[in-house]
Structures are given as structure tokens and as C-alpha cells.
Amino acid sequence: MAAERVHRTVHETEVAAPAGMVYGMIADAVQWPLYFPPNVHVERLAFDGVQERLRMWATANGQVKSWTSRRVLDAAARRIEFRQEIPAAPLSAMTGTWIVESLGADRSKLTLLHDFSVEGDRAQDVEWVERATDTNSRAELANLAQLGGRWGKLDELVMSFEDRVDVDAPPELVYAFLERAEQWPELLPHVSRLELTEPDELPGVQVMAMDTLTADGSAHTTESVRVCFPAAGRIVYKQTRTPALMSAHTGVWTVTGGAYGSTVTSQHGVVLREEAVTQVLGPSADLAAARRYVRQALGRNSTATMTYAKQHAESALAS
């Protein structure tokens, strides 16, 4: 059998933002699904301020992959080293380093290094990993450079909010409604089509394509990856195809409670696409108008879903 060889990739970009801000975005891995297109969800399993353990879900070459990583953060040197503890196939090992260098008060250089091996050093597997690493790294650095270049407006571009509904039924009935999304076109008036697949190799992962109707009657097609945590009563998701006004959209459904009642919460994280604001909302619209529009549109649809989940669960309990 051929020996496993270490392969290295190097990706670099310059960011029109201070080095400290760029390092902060790299260090805050839980927010990566908002910042980096390939990242679906990041769970922080442990963190002591320097060493960190993460469970990550991301797309690679059109597939959903998941792995566990350990990171060592050096804020003074603006350097983060990582190692995949449980690599996703076909990898046998993956390590790397994020390096942020200051090029001045408002400019930085960001370098991303990957060293990897695949089992048996099979040529087709090496090519697959190189292609996935190159595609994802380019997307991550390009998006971070774009966001970083607007660092003075990040507070306007990035938004988060939540809505909640109380339910007179136990949480497992509410959770079941949210998890079985393939039934939504029959149960939710604002969902006209939904296709759902569940990869056999990743339990709890759902890949969705959905058509929804807004209050003005217009239709939007979105594609999402969801990760379900039944024991925690939680479903997280990332839209991999978003409406024009958003460059990123993540969310969490959470159901808590007991035998006599529960609360269902919908949380949203959004990065607005500034260049689309006037195209979508008209020539006089600004980011404040876009924030109001997105808050109302997403809140309306998620509250409608939670209200129907409430009705469904309460009816099931009464029957």
C-alpha cells in the first residue's frame, strides 16, 4: 500500500480592516456560518480561552461533511493552529494555521495553511480534498475580505433576532412538527414546495430546497442544510441559497418545557447584501429599511410556522 504523503495548500488575501478585527472574526468560530459560505454550523464543545474543541458541519464539493477539531489560539501573535481530531473521509489527517499580519492601521494580510493526508494517498482522493480545500478556502477568504472591507458598517450589516410562541403541549410534539419538514407543504400555507433528503452517513442532517410565499404574494426559493439535535430539542440551519437581500442567513429552532407545556423559539442571524438593497426595496431604501424588511419578513414566516406547530401539537394532545 502506498505511503500517506503530506500535501500542503496556501491561500492568502488582503483585508481592508485592522488586524485585530480580522483576527477576532477568525477566532469566533461559532459565528463562521454567518461569515463563511461553506460553514453550516459550529458547536463549541470546550474552551479555556486558549485551547478550543469544536464540532463542525460544512459543505465540500457539494456534500455535507462533519468533523471535530482542536484549535490553539494565540491572540498576541494573531495566529490560530488547528487539527482535525476526527477527520471527515477521505482524510486521514488535517492540520493548519490561520495567520493575520498587520499591513497598517486599516489593512491586514490573512494567510490560511492546510496540511493534509488521505488514506493510501489515492490520487482521486487527493484531488477531491485539494479541490474542496481550494474552493472553500477561496470562498472563506473572499467573503471575509468583503465583510472586513466594510468593517465600519458591520453593526448595520449583521443582525440577529428571535420570536417565541408558548404551547399547551409537551415539547416532543412541537419538535416533531419542526423536524418533519417534508410535511410542511401540506400544513403551512406559506410553503408551496419542499424537497428534503437525509444523508445516510450523517444522522440528523437534512438538506432542503423550499419555495415560500411572502405577504405580497411573491415567491422565494431557498436551499438549506439543517442539523437536528432531538435530545436537546434544537434544530440549527444555514441557508445555502438565500434571497437577494441576504448574503447569509442562519437560524435555530429551540423547544423547551415539560409535560404540561413548552416554548418554541426561532432565532435568526443575517448578513445583509448592501448592494442589493435599492434593487430589492427601491432607490430610496437604505440599510435601516432593509433591516426592518428582513426582520418583518423572516419573523412573520417563522412565527407562522411556530403557530402551526402549536396548533398541531395541541390538537395531537387533545385527540
Side-chain angles (χ1 to χ4, degrees):
M1 181 177 290
E4 293 180 6
R5 189 161 60 95
V6 176
H7 304 265
R8 164 164 284 200
T9 65
V10 182
H11 294 85
E12 299 175 335
T13 191
E14 290 190 9
V15 185
M21 197 220 75
V22 176
Y23 175 83
M25 296 178 75
I26 299 299
D28 190 5
V30 173
Q31 291 288 356
W32 281 10
L34 277 180
Y35 301 154
F36 294 158
N39 287 86
V40 172
H41 180 60
V42 179
E43 287 267 312
R44 176 178 279 161
L45 305 178
F47 185 48
D48 64 6
V50 175
Q51 299 192 52
E52 184 177 40
R53 189 165 178 260
L54 303 168
R55 177 77 187 276
M56 312 183 83
W57 289 259
T59 57
N61 292 339
Q63 301 177 26
V64 181
K65 295 288 185 177
S66 183
W67 63 91
T68 304
S69 283
R70 289 188 178 272
R71 304 203 308 170
V72 179
L73 287 71
D74 186 341
R78 301 193 187 99
R79 184 184 182 98
I80 301 173
E81 297 181 352
F82 60 88
R83 173 177 61 86
Q84 288 194 11
E85 184 181 70
I86 305 174
L91 288 166
S92 58
M94 170 71 85
T95 63
T97 310
W98 293 93
I99 304 167
V100 184
E101 302 171 79
S102 177
L103 300 178
D106 296 329
R107 194 158 194 87
S108 312
K109 179 182 178 182
L110 175 60
T111 303
L112 174 57
L113 309 175
H114 286 95
D115 292 321
F116 70 88
S117 301
V118 301
E119 186 177 352
D121 204 42
R122 293 184 292 266
Q124 66 270 29
D125 289 340
V126 172
E127 188 277 332
W128 192 97
V129 175
E130 286 181 335
R131 179 159 45 91
T133 302
D134 183 65
T135 301
N136 285 9
S137 297
R138 289 179 183 274
E140 291 167 359
L141 268 60
N143 205 59
L144 193 141
Q146 182 182 42
L147 279 175
R150 298 178 178 180
W151 64 276
K153 288 186 174 181
L154 278 185
D155 287 344
E156 298 176 81
L157 293 171
V158 181
M159 57 187 295
S160 60
F161 54 90
E162 68 177 44
D163 298 288
R164 61 183 59 198
V165 171
D166 293 326
V167 183
D168 293 325
E172 56 267 21
L173 293 177
V174 182
Y175 181 87
F177 180 93
L178 297 174
E179 184 182 45
R180 296 170 189 164
E182 70 276 7
Q183 301 175 1
W184 286 2
E186 301 171 8
L187 302 172
L188 299 176
H190 65 278
V191 177
S192 57
R193 180 189 69 93
L194 194 147
E195 297 178 3
L196 185 146
T197 57
E198 298 178 294
D200 292 336
E201 66 276 13
L202 283 177
V205 170
Q206 300 177 333
V207 180
M208 289 172 42
M210 181 169 65
D211 292 341
T212 59
L213 301 175
T214 60
D216 61 7
S218 59
H220 293 281
T221 299
T222 59
E223 296 176 0
S224 305
V225 177
R226 306 203 312 174
V227 185
C228 302
F229 301 92
R234 188 163 56 104
I235 300 172
V236 302
Y237 61 89
K238 162 78 174 280
Q239 283 193 348
T240 52
R241 177 182 175 185
T242 57
L245 202 52
M246 297 180 287
S247 64
H249 176 209
T250 63
V252 185
W253 300 101
T254 308
V255 187
T256 58
Y260 300 103
S262 54
T263 299
V264 55
T265 303
S266 171
Q267 298 169 292
H268 295 273
V270 170
V271 180
L272 297 172
R273 184 177 282 116
E274 185 176 16
E275 61 273 20
V277 170
T278 55
Q279 300 171 15
V280 175
L281 301 180
S284 62
D286 57 10
L287 283 173
R291 291 172 68 90
R292 290 192 298 271
Y293 179 89
V294 168
R295 173 66 179 93
Q296 292 170 2
L298 293 181
R300 184 187 305 112
N301 279 354
S302 59
T303 299
T305 300
M306 291 188 292
T307 300
Y308 277 97
K310 168 185 171 72
Q311 295 172 359
H312 181 83
E314 292 176 351
S315 297
L317 186 65
S319 61

